[in-house]
Amino acid sequence: MALVDAGVVVLDCADPEALAAFYTELLGARETGVSPNRVEIRGADGFRMAFRRDANATPPSWPRPENSLQTHLEFVVTDLDEAERGIVGLGGRPVEAKDGPGPHEERGFSDPAGHPFTLRRSAVPAAPKQG
């Protein structure tokens, strides 16, 4: 039996409403709770995030070493180029060079408040052997 009922990834930021809007679009989520200092969202698959107001929030500096990574999110996508265009259109930004093609291609980004996250291309299934 689990000790907890659910987990929520919580990001501290200066403007929780704006950051919730970014992730709501990114994940196709919906708001499930709003208070003066916190906004919570839930994705269609049940993934939950919350954004907590912290006027003194300082984003991580990743990929630079000072104040480094602290933590990051990873999202799996089918089309990295399409996802990147969408993220940039929502106000996110790339933070490192693109990897070459491969089964585990990844790209780093930050959300509008500076929190890092990675897009990882879903592994391409191997073609069935012929003959």
Side-chain angles (χ1 to χ4, degrees), residues 23-69:
Y23 282 101
T24 296
E25 287 293 319
L26 180 69
L27 299 171
R30 62 181 173 81
E31 282 187 1
T32 58
V34 178
S35 69
N37 290 311
R38 181 181 166 114
V39 178
E40 188 168 321
I41 65 172
R42 182 184 303 253
D45 65 352
F47 180 73
R48 295 169 59 183
M49 291 185 74
F51 311 93
R52 187 179 67 144
R53 189 176 316 279
D54 178 355
N56 298 314
T58 302
S61 62
W62 177 78
R64 297 181 320 271
E66 63 278 358
N67 200 24
S68 199
L69 186 55

Coordinates of all heavy atoms in Angstrom, one line a residue, residues 23-69:
Y23 N 2.7 25.9 -18.8 CA 2.7 24.4 -18.7 C 1.3 23.8 -19.1 O 1.2 22.7 -19.6 CB 3.1 23.9 -17.3 CG 4.6 24.0 -17.2 CD1 5.2 25.0 -16.5 CD2 5.4 23.0 -17.7 CE1 6.6 25.0 -16.4 CE2 6.8 23.0 -17.6 CZ 7.4 24.0 -17.0 OH 8.7 24.1 -16.9
T24 N 0.2 24.6 -18.9 CA -1.1 24.2 -19.3 C -1.1 23.9 -20.8 O -1.6 22.9 -21.3 CB -2.2 25.2 -18.9 OG1 -2.2 25.2 -17.5 CG2 -3.5 24.8 -19.4
E25 N -0.5 24.9 -21.6 CA -0.4 24.7 -23.0 C 0.5 23.6 -23.4 O 0.2 22.8 -24.3 CB 0.0 26.0 -23.7 CG -1.0 27.1 -23.7 CD -2.2 26.8 -24.6 OE1 -2.0 26.2 -25.7 OE2 -3.4 27.0 -24.2
L26 N 1.7 23.6 -22.8 CA 2.7 22.5 -23.1 C 2.1 21.1 -22.9 O 2.4 20.3 -23.8 CB 3.9 22.7 -22.2 CG 5.1 21.8 -22.4 CD1 5.7 22.0 -23.8 CD2 6.1 21.9 -21.3
L27 N 1.4 20.9 -21.8 CA 0.9 19.6 -21.5 C -0.5 19.3 -21.9 O -1.0 18.2 -21.7 CB 1.0 19.4 -20.0 CG 2.5 19.5 -19.4 CD1 2.4 19.5 -17.9 CD2 3.3 18.3 -20.0
G28 N -1.2 20.3 -22.5 CA -2.6 20.1 -22.8 C -3.4 19.8 -21.5 O -4.3 19.0 -21.4
A29 N -3.0 20.6 -20.4 CA -3.6 20.3 -19.1 C -4.8 21.3 -18.8 O -5.1 22.1 -19.6 CB -2.5 20.6 -18.0
R30 N -5.3 21.2 -17.6 CA -6.3 22.1 -17.1 C -6.0 22.5 -15.7 O -5.4 21.7 -14.9 CB -7.7 21.4 -17.2 CG -7.9 20.2 -16.4 CD -9.3 19.6 -16.5 NE -9.3 18.3 -15.8 CZ -9.5 18.2 -14.5 NH1 -9.7 19.2 -13.8 NH2 -9.6 17.0 -14.0
E31 N -6.5 23.7 -15.3 CA -6.3 24.1 -14.0 C -7.2 23.3 -13.0 O -8.4 23.1 -13.4 CB -6.6 25.6 -13.8 CG -5.6 26.5 -14.3 CD -5.9 28.0 -14.0 OE1 -6.9 28.3 -13.4 OE2 -5.1 28.8 -14.4
T32 N -6.7 22.9 -11.9 CA -7.5 22.2 -10.9 C -7.6 22.9 -9.6 O -8.4 22.5 -8.7 CB -7.0 20.8 -10.7 OG1 -5.6 20.9 -10.3 CG2 -7.0 20.0 -12.0
G33 N -6.8 24.0 -9.4 CA -6.8 24.7 -8.1 C -6.1 26.0 -8.3 O -5.0 26.0 -8.8
V34 N -6.7 27.1 -7.8 CA -6.1 28.4 -7.8 C -6.3 29.1 -6.5 O -7.4 29.1 -6.0 CB -6.7 29.3 -9.0 CG1 -6.1 30.6 -9.0 CG2 -6.6 28.6 -10.3
S35 N -5.2 29.6 -5.9 CA -5.3 30.4 -4.7 C -4.4 31.6 -5.0 O -3.7 31.6 -6.0 CB -4.9 29.6 -3.5 OG -3.5 29.3 -3.6
P36 N -4.3 32.6 -4.1 CA -3.5 33.8 -4.3 C -2.0 33.4 -4.6 O -1.3 34.2 -5.3 CB -3.7 34.6 -3.1 CG -5.0 34.2 -2.6 CD -5.2 32.7 -2.9
N37 N -1.5 32.4 -4.0 CA -0.1 32.1 -4.1 C 0.2 30.7 -4.7 O 1.4 30.3 -4.7 CB 0.5 32.1 -2.7 CG 0.6 33.5 -2.2 OD1 1.0 34.4 -2.9 ND2 0.1 33.7 -1.0
R38 N -0.8 30.1 -5.3 CA -0.5 28.8 -5.9 C -1.5 28.5 -7.0 O -2.7 28.8 -6.9 CB -0.6 27.7 -4.8 CG -0.3 26.3 -5.3 CD -0.5 25.3 -4.2 NE -0.5 24.0 -4.6 CZ 0.4 23.1 -4.3 NH1 1.4 23.4 -3.6 NH2 0.2 21.8 -4.7
V39 N -1.1 27.9 -8.1 CA -1.9 27.4 -9.2 C -1.5 25.9 -9.4 O -0.3 25.6 -9.5 CB -1.8 28.2 -10.5 CG1 -2.6 27.6 -11.6 CG2 -2.1 29.7 -10.3
E40 N -2.5 25.1 -9.5 CA -2.3 23.6 -9.8 C -2.9 23.2 -11.1 O -4.0 23.7 -11.4 CB -2.8 22.8 -8.6 CG -2.3 21.3 -8.8 CD -2.5 20.5 -7.5 OE1 -2.3 21.0 -6.4 OE2 -2.9 19.3 -7.7
I41 N -2.2 22.4 -11.8 CA -2.8 21.9 -13.1 C -2.7 20.4 -13.1 O -1.9 19.8 -12.4 CB -2.1 22.5 -14.3 CG1 -0.6 22.1 -14.4 CG2 -2.2 24.0 -14.3 CD1 0.1 22.4 -15.7
R42 N -3.5 19.8 -14.0 CA -3.4 18.3 -14.2 C -3.5 18.0 -15.7 O -4.4 18.5 -16.4 CB -4.6 17.6 -13.5 CG -4.6 16.1 -13.6 CD -5.8 15.4 -12.9 NE -5.9 15.8 -11.6 CZ -5.6 15.0 -10.5 NH1 -5.3 13.7 -10.8 NH2 -5.8 15.3 -9.3
G43 N -2.6 17.2 -16.2 CA -2.6 16.8 -17.5 C -3.6 15.7 -17.8 O -4.1 15.1 -16.8
A44 N -3.9 15.4 -19.0 CA -4.9 14.4 -19.4 C -4.5 13.0 -18.8 O -5.3 12.2 -18.5 CB -5.0 14.3 -20.9
D45 N -3.2 12.7 -18.7 CA -2.7 11.4 -18.2 C -2.6 11.4 -16.6 O -2.2 10.5 -16.0 CB -1.4 11.1 -18.8 CG -0.2 12.0 -18.3 OD1 -0.5 13.1 -17.7 OD2 0.9 11.7 -18.6
G46 N -3.1 12.5 -16.0 CA -3.0 12.6 -14.5 C -1.8 13.3 -13.9 O -1.8 13.5 -12.7
F47 N -0.8 13.6 -14.8 CA 0.4 14.3 -14.3 C 0.0 15.6 -13.6 O -0.7 16.4 -14.2 CB 1.3 14.5 -15.4 CG 2.6 15.2 -15.0 CD1 3.6 14.5 -14.3 CD2 2.9 16.5 -15.4 CE1 4.8 15.1 -13.9 CE2 4.1 17.1 -15.0 CZ 5.0 16.4 -14.3
R48 N 0.5 15.9 -12.4 CA 0.1 17.1 -11.7 C 1.3 18.0 -11.5 O 2.4 17.5 -11.1 CB -0.5 16.7 -10.4 CG -1.8 16.0 -10.5 CD -2.3 15.4 -9.2 NE -2.5 16.4 -8.2 CZ -2.9 16.2 -7.0 NH1 -3.1 14.9 -6.6 NH2 -3.0 17.1 -6.1
M49 N 1.1 19.3 -11.6 CA 2.1 20.3 -11.3 C 1.4 21.4 -10.6 O 0.2 21.7 -10.8 CB 2.7 20.8 -12.6 CG 3.6 19.9 -13.4 SD 4.4 20.6 -14.8 CE 5.7 21.6 -13.9
A50 N 2.2 22.1 -9.8 CA 1.8 23.3 -9.1 C 2.8 24.4 -9.2 O 4.0 24.1 -9.4 CB 1.4 23.0 -7.7
F51 N 2.4 25.6 -9.1 CA 3.3 26.8 -9.3 C 3.1 27.7 -8.1 O 2.0 28.2 -7.9 CB 3.1 27.5 -10.6 CG 3.1 26.5 -11.7 CD1 1.9 25.9 -12.1 CD2 4.3 26.0 -12.3 CE1 1.9 24.9 -13.1 CE2 4.2 25.0 -13.2 CZ 3.1 24.5 -13.7
R52 N 4.1 27.8 -7.2 CA 4.0 28.5 -5.9 C 4.7 29.9 -6.0 O 5.8 29.9 -6.5 CB 4.6 27.7 -4.8 CG 4.3 28.2 -3.4 CD 4.9 27.3 -2.4 NE 6.4 27.4 -2.6 CZ 7.2 27.3 -1.6 NH1 6.8 27.2 -0.4 NH2 8.5 27.4 -1.8
R53 N 4.0 30.9 -5.6 CA 4.5 32.3 -5.6 C 5.7 32.4 -4.6 O 5.5 32.0 -3.4 CB 3.4 33.3 -5.3 CG 3.9 34.7 -5.5 CD 2.8 35.7 -5.3 NE 1.5 35.4 -5.8 CZ 1.2 35.5 -7.1 NH1 2.0 36.0 -8.0 NH2 0.0 35.2 -7.6
D54 N 6.8 32.9 -5.1 CA 8.0 33.2 -4.3 C 8.6 34.4 -5.0 O 9.3 34.3 -6.0 CB 8.9 32.0 -4.3 CG 10.2 32.3 -3.5 OD1 10.4 33.5 -3.0 OD2 11.0 31.4 -3.3
A55 N 8.4 35.6 -4.4 CA 8.9 36.8 -4.9 C 10.4 36.9 -5.1 O 10.9 37.6 -5.9 CB 8.4 38.0 -4.1
N56 N 11.1 36.0 -4.3 CA 12.5 36.0 -4.3 C 13.1 34.8 -5.1 O 14.2 34.5 -4.9 CB 13.1 36.0 -2.9 CG 12.7 37.2 -2.1 OD1 12.8 38.3 -2.7 ND2 12.2 37.1 -0.9
A57 N 12.2 34.1 -5.9 CA 12.7 32.9 -6.6 C 13.8 33.3 -7.5 O 13.8 34.3 -8.3 CB 11.5 32.4 -7.4
T58 N 14.8 32.5 -7.5 CA 16.0 32.6 -8.4 C 16.1 31.3 -9.2 O 16.2 30.3 -8.7 CB 17.3 32.8 -7.6 OG1 17.2 33.9 -6.7 CG2 18.5 33.0 -8.5
P59 N 15.9 31.5 -10.6 CA 16.0 30.3 -11.4 C 17.4 29.6 -11.4 O 18.4 30.3 -11.2 CB 15.6 30.8 -12.8 CG 15.9 32.2 -12.8 CD 15.7 32.7 -11.3
P60 N 17.4 28.3 -11.6 CA 18.7 27.6 -11.7 C 19.5 28.2 -12.9 O 18.9 28.8 -13.8 CB 18.3 26.2 -12.0 CG 16.9 26.1 -11.5 CD 16.3 27.4 -11.7
S61 N 20.8 28.0 -12.9 CA 21.6 28.6 -14.0 C 22.0 27.6 -15.0 O 22.7 27.9 -15.9 CB 22.9 29.1 -13.3 OG 23.6 28.1 -12.7
W62 N 21.5 26.3 -14.9 CA 21.8 25.3 -15.8 C 21.6 25.8 -17.3 O 20.7 26.5 -17.5 CB 20.9 24.1 -15.5 CG 21.1 22.9 -16.5 CD1 22.1 22.0 -16.4 CD2 20.2 22.5 -17.5 NE1 21.9 21.1 -17.4 CE2 20.8 21.4 -18.1 CE3 19.0 23.1 -18.1 CZ2 20.2 20.8 -19.2 CZ3 18.5 22.4 -19.1 CH2 19.0 21.3 -19.7
P63 N 22.5 25.5 -18.2 CA 23.7 24.5 -18.0 C 24.9 25.1 -17.5 O 25.9 24.4 -17.4 CB 23.8 24.1 -19.5 CG 23.5 25.2 -20.3 CD 22.4 25.9 -19.5
R64 N 25.0 26.4 -17.1 CA 26.2 26.9 -16.4 C 26.4 26.3 -15.1 O 25.4 26.0 -14.4 CB 26.1 28.4 -16.3 CG 26.0 29.2 -17.7 CD 25.9 30.7 -17.5 NE 25.0 31.1 -16.4 CZ 23.7 31.4 -16.5 NH1 23.1 31.2 -17.7 NH2 23.0 31.8 -15.5
P65 N 27.6 26.1 -14.6 CA 27.8 25.4 -13.3 C 27.4 26.1 -12.1 O 27.0 25.5 -11.1 CB 29.3 25.1 -13.3 CG 29.9 26.1 -14.2 CD 28.8 26.5 -15.3
E66 N 27.4 27.5 -12.0 CA 27.0 28.2 -10.8 C 25.5 28.0 -10.6 O 24.7 28.1 -11.5 CB 27.3 29.6 -10.8 CG 26.7 30.5 -11.9 CD 27.3 30.4 -13.3 OE1 28.3 29.7 -13.5 OE2 26.8 31.0 -14.2
N67 N 25.1 27.7 -9.4 CA 23.7 27.4 -8.9 C 23.1 26.3 -9.7 O 21.9 26.0 -9.5 CB 22.9 28.7 -9.1 CG 21.6 28.7 -8.2 OD1 21.6 28.0 -7.2 ND2 20.6 29.4 -8.6
S68 N 23.7 25.7 -10.5 CA 23.5 24.5 -11.4 C 22.0 24.1 -11.5 O 21.1 24.8 -11.6 CB 24.4 23.4 -11.0 OG 24.5 22.5 -12.0
L69 N 21.8 22.8 -11.6 CA 20.6 22.2 -12.1 C 19.5 22.1 -11.0 O 18.3 22.1 -11.3 CB 20.8 20.8 -12.7 CG 19.7 20.1 -13.4 CD1 19.1 21.0 -14.4 CD2 20.1 18.8 -14.0

